[in-house]
């Protein structure tokens, strides 16, 4: 059965008139008759009994009528849903983002996206940087936001902005009065950082090791929020991406420009090559690119 045949059957069955059905379908009498004949031959028997004066459904035609109505309704619903998805009147997009980004810069981006596309739902997976790459690679999500991966990565990276590490110190520390601090001075104090295999931890250690320096780690945590609270409590100092400045300040710590060496790395959107994004994911991807995140960070 074809969609055209089912629609022709319904038009005749509901009107019990080939002439009326022809007008509804904008078909000639011969074209409609051939369509019904092809349907009957395909199914193996007559669906209508007709003479020069009357058209009636056969018992088999009566049986097909509710099924045909349901088929057409399902088809029309599917067609309508897909049209709404392509026009972003509805839809869903899945995203993975490292917690530092998800908790700081992502909410205002999603607010902009929701204002543009109020009927598109977004699922956010806030996971560590390594898991973001893994979820995009395994197609568990369409988009990921993370630090730029190594060149050996099989993912496509679209940079959004360059993030620079800043020092985090207690408010009552003498360091809090400084406008800028170098790594040598910062490392004279007990250091608090994320546990391995955090990308933030690995990046710090690799950059400092290249300069002959080592992190004097005394406290470790899986969460940046915990790191911030430890610093605010006076247990030591830390260094975090600039996107975390607002979070660190809310926790009661002070952030200072950190130099010598300057440690920075691009943050951007990850996608899997060879797979076209859904209309909803593409719209969110475009929203990311529209944001001036560097300006938003400098305004903090």
């Amino acid at each position: 059965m074809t969609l055209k045949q089912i629609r022709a059957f319904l038009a005749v069955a509901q009107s019990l008139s080939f002439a009326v059905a022809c007008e509804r379908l904008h078909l000639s009498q011969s074209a409609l008759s051939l369509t019904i004949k092809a349907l009957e031959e395909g199914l193996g028997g007559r669906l209508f009994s007709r003479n020069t004066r009357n058209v009636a459904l056969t018992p088999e035609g009566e049986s097909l009528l509710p099924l045909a109505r349901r088929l057409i309704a399902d088809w029309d619903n599917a067609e309508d849903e897909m049209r709404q998805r392509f026009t972003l009147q509805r839809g869903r997009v899945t995203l993975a983002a490292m917690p530092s980004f998800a908790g700081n810069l992502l909410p205002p981006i999603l607010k902009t996206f929701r204002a543009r596309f109020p009927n598109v739902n977004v699922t956010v997976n806030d996971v560590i940087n390594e898991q973001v790459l893994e979820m995009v690679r395994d197609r568990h999500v369409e988009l990921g936001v993370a630090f730029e991966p190594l060149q050996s990565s099989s993912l496509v990276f679209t940079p959004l902005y360059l993030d620079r590490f800043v020092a985090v110190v207690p408010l009552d520390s003498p360091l809090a009065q400084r406008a800028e601090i170098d790594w040598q001075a910062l490392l004279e104090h007990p250091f608090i950082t994320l546990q391995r295999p955090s990308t933030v931890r690995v990046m710090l250690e690799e950059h400092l090791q290249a300069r002959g320096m080592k992190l004097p780690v005394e406290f470790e945590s899986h969460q940046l929020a915990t790191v911030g609270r430890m610093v605010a409590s006076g247990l030591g100092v830390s260094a975090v991406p600039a996107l975390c400045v607002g979070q660190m300040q809310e926790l009661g710590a002070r952030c200072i420009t950190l130099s010598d060496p300057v440690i920075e790395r691009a943050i951007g959107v990850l996608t899997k090559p060879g797979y076209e994004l859904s209309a909803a994911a593409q719209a969110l991807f475009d929203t990311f690119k529209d944001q001036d995140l560097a300006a938003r960070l400098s305004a903090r």
Side-chain angles (χ1 to χ4, degrees):
M1 294 186 294
T2 67
L3 184 64
K4 179 182 177 181
Q5 291 171 345
I6 294 297
R7 290 195 187 279
F9 167 78
L10 278 177
V12 177
Q14 290 168 348
S15 63
L16 293 179
S17 167
F18 273 74
V20 173
C22 285
E23 291 181 7
R24 289 183 182 176
L25 299 173
H26 305 290
L27 290 175
S28 66
Q29 183 89 23
S30 59
L32 179 58
S33 297
L34 287 173
T35 300
I36 295 298
K37 181 180 179 182
L39 175 61
E40 291 177 327
E41 289 178 349
L43 294 177
R46 294 172 59 199
L47 299 172
F48 297 99
S49 60
R50 51 187 179 258
N51 53 42
T52 55
R53 299 179 61 184
N54 295 310
V55 176
L57 286 165
T58 65
E60 289 78 13
E62 293 279 4
S63 298
L64 178 60
L65 183 57
L67 300 176
R69 284 173 172 156
R70 190 161 67 244
L71 285 170
I72 292 300
D74 289 344
W75 176 270
D76 289 343
N77 288 339
E79 190 176 37
D80 183 59
E81 178 174 339
M82 293 310 301
R83 187 176 292 107
Q84 289 184 30
R85 287 181 179 274
F86 279 118
T87 57
L88 295 174
Q89 297 176 49
R90 65 182 300 176
R92 175 177 296 277
V93 56
T94 54
L95 166 75
M98 51 187 182
S100 54
F101 188 92
N104 292 279
L105 293 183
L106 184 59
I109 295 173
L110 293 182
K111 185 176 181 180
T112 299
F113 181 76
R114 173 49 63 92
R116 294 176 181 174
F117 310 107
N119 297 317
V120 177
N121 297 325
V122 181
T123 299
V124 179
N125 298 271
D126 49 341
V127 294
I128 62 173
N129 193 87
E130 294 73 21
Q131 287 179 292
V132 173
L133 273 65
E134 182 180 332
M135 293 186 76
V136 176
R137 192 178 296 115
D138 294 342
R139 298 190 67 203
H140 293 154
V141 298
E142 289 191 86
L143 301 173
V145 181
F147 287 109
E148 182 176 9
L150 299 174
Q151 292 183 352
S152 59
S153 171
S154 59
L155 301 176
V156 176
F157 179 78
T158 303
L160 297 175
Y161 72 101
L162 199 61
D163 202 319
R164 175 176 175 173
F165 277 79
V166 297
V168 188
V169 302
L171 285 177
D172 57 0
S173 167
L175 299 177
Q177 307 307 314
R178 298 193 185 186
E180 185 173 335
I181 189 173
D182 61 44
W183 272 98
Q184 196 65 51
L186 186 68
L187 295 181
E188 293 175 358
H189 301 267
F191 202 83
I192 306 168
T193 188
L194 294 172
Q195 292 179 314
R196 296 187 185 92
S198 162
T199 298
V200 169
R201 171 73 173 270
V202 173
M203 285 173 57
L204 293 179
E205 290 180 332
E206 288 180 349
H207 278 81
L208 294 177
Q209 187 176 9
R211 294 291 191 97
M213 291 183 276
K214 185 178 180 180
L215 289 178
V217 178
E218 294 198 13
F219 296 95
E220 300 173 278
S221 172
H222 278 301
Q223 301 294 331
L224 276 169
T226 305
V227 170
R229 290 191 182 95
M230 288 181 176
V231 173
S233 298
L235 292 174
V237 300
S238 188
V240 299
L243 64 88
C244 302
V245 168
Q247 182 183 16
M248 295 297 113
Q249 292 174 340
E250 289 175 2
L251 293 170
R254 169 103 158 85
C255 293
I256 307 171
T257 300
L258 187 55
S259 60
D260 194 24
V262 170
I263 301 178
E264 56 188 9
R265 192 166 179 180
I267 289 177
V269 180
L270 294 162
T271 55
K272 188 175 176 65
Y275 292 93
E276 186 171 344
L277 295 176
S278 67
Q282 184 64 54
L284 180 56
F285 181 69
D286 293 339
T287 304
F288 274 117
K289 292 192 296 183
D290 289 344
Q291 306 298 304
D292 189 349
L293 299 181
R296 187 172 294 174
L297 278 176
S298 62
R300 292 190 169 194

